[in-house]
Amino acid sequence: MQEISIRLFEGAYTLKPRAERRLMLLVGAAMALQVGLLLYLVVTKTFTTGLLFVFLINLLVPGYFLFTVWLDHKPQYRRHLTLTAEGVRYRSRFMQEEHAFDWDEIDFVDLKLYKVIFVLKNDEVHEVSLDRIQNDAVLHQVKEQIRQLVRSKEIELC
């Protein structure tokens, strides 16, 4: 059986080029503003705390860009729902503890419109939200994959 991994982070299953273009535009604008302010300092030979504040604010955009690049190289920190042959792993919040349990521990699975609820035999309830998936066709496909996998494991589906 192949591993099914469902990304549950903001922007999942959206057009990546559009977001990247917006981000690159912001980074370019921030860099142009930085160069303009540096030229202003060189020409006028002045330095004020206001300019220092603007420089620090402009560092937020490249910082965000570097953070997204880092996050692309560290996908294990993102929100996800991963279904494997052994069991289920999920992270419901960014950089929070990952929860994992085996298929043998699951009593039944409740598949709601934007949620998957795993009820374990020890009455533990694990709720995974699917509301970040923005494409209805992809959401339907994900839910169908979950249904097929749960049926193949012979677990009750509500």
Side-chain angles (χ1 to χ4, degrees), residues 37-146:
L37 288 174
L38 279 173
L39 288 175
Y40 174 77
L41 281 177
V42 169
V43 170
T44 61
K45 296 181 183 176
T46 59
F47 182 76
T48 62
T49 55
L51 286 176
L52 178 64
F53 180 72
V54 170
F55 275 109
L56 292 176
I57 291 295
N58 283 333
L59 289 178
L60 292 177
V61 174
Y64 174 76
F65 177 72
L66 292 175
F67 175 72
T68 57
V69 169
W70 173 81
L71 195 57
D72 283 342
H73 289 91
K74 304 280 186 188
Q76 67 270 21
Y77 293 123
R78 290 187 168 184
R79 297 165 25 122
H80 69 92
L81 169 63
T82 303
L83 308 171
T84 63
E86 296 83 34
V88 178
R89 289 186 340 258
Y90 76 93
R91 182 183 316 274
S92 59
R93 298 197 188 277
F94 175 69
M95 291 187 77
Q96 293 278 327
E97 176 186 355
E98 184 176 67
H99 300 281
F101 43 89
D102 294 334
W103 290 109
D104 299 336
E105 299 177 47
I106 299 175
D107 191 21
F108 68 91
V109 177
D110 191 5
L111 200 54
K112 302 272 186 195
L113 184 61
Y114 290 107
K115 289 183 199 173
V116 178
I117 302 171
F118 297 96
V119 179
L120 305 184
K121 292 179 180 171
N122 63 1
D123 293 329
E124 219 175 288
V125 177
H126 294 268
E127 186 175 306
V128 181
S129 177
L130 302 175
D131 63 350
R132 299 282 183 158
I133 299 176
Q134 298 170 352
N135 187 332
D136 290 337
V138 173
L139 179 63
H140 179 70
Q141 180 183 5
V142 164
K143 288 168 65 174
E144 191 58 39
Q145 286 177 337
I146 293 171

